[in-house]
Amino acid sequence: MKIFKTLRKSLAILIGLFVLLTSMTVRAEEVSVKVGEALSYPNGFSYMTHYFYINDTLAYCLQPRLGPTSNGNMDATEIYSDGDNGYPLLIKVLACGYGGPNDITSQYFPGATDRERYVYTHIAAGYAYMSNSEMNSTINDITGLSNEQFEACGLGNFVRAAWETEYKGTVKLVKINGYQDIGYLASYSLPEKTIKIDLIKTDMENVGLKGAEYGIYRDEACLDLISKMNTTDE
């Protein structure tokens, strides 16, 4: 009887673990993928890409040297900036790329059209994505550009500037193994920072004055209050 109870208890534990693992399984989300207008690389580079859309959201080809996929419904997953298999540079490049929340492409590609800024973001995103799993690959292996071309057009400085930011987030990814992966920035955030500010209100004689009130504002006109600080004491 004791053995039977032990077996029954072990079986219950196994069933519980099975249910837990089943509930934790990540299921792919089906999305609509559309291939848009073809775009030639700027500066005479002998490659091209397309506008891509995932559920009508502008996306990017993340494997620059592969041809486009076709329209259709496909499975999508998410990849993250953190973790052992994270893609921190990809999230930062998309956050700083064309249409991103910290779009700096006009600064690093001055005079470029919107189409060209999209293409440059695609090349940088492809470099960030592919170099994650192909660390021994050269820039030319991944993007089709030489080191000199990559630097001369501003891509090197753009990627380095993006890397210096602190963006974290996720990328919605349609992974078409052996053909082409496309994705877009699905979520992003900046890590919260705690800042300590000490203010001392004094008169002309450097004597402390109590009762002063200070606020931290988002705008120069001091209309958009973020936080009111404690009233100063003696």
Side-chain angles (χ1 to χ4, degrees), residues 112-123:
T113 65
D114 286 353
R115 293 158 62 95
E116 290 170 338
R117 290 162 60 200
Y118 173 88
V119 173
Y120 282 131
T121 302
H122 142 72
I123 298 171

Side-chain angles (χ1 to χ4, degrees), residues 39-42 44-49 64-66 119 122-123 140-145 149:
L39 301 169
S40 297
Y41 278 23
F45 300 152
S46 56
Y47 287 90
M48 62 177 295
T49 187
R65 299 191 71 175
L66 298 184
V119 173
H122 142 72
I123 298 171
N140 182 256
D141 292 332
I142 296 172
T143 68
L145 305 183
Q149 290 172 321

Side-chain angles (χ1 to χ4, degrees), residues 21-72:
L21 290 172
T22 302
S23 67
M24 291 173 63
T25 301
V26 177
R27 289 179 171 80
E29 170 193 357
E30 187 174 82
V31 296
S32 167
V33 175
K34 294 179 183 177
V35 183
E37 179 187 355
L39 301 169
S40 297
Y41 278 23
N43 293 323
F45 300 152
S46 56
Y47 287 90
M48 62 177 295
T49 187
H50 287 73
Y51 285 120
F52 289 92
Y53 302 89
I54 298 177
N55 286 348
D56 295 324
T57 298
L58 189 64
Y60 291 89
C61 161
L62 301 177
Q63 293 174 300
R65 299 191 71 175
L66 298 184
T69 183
S70 57
N71 298 333

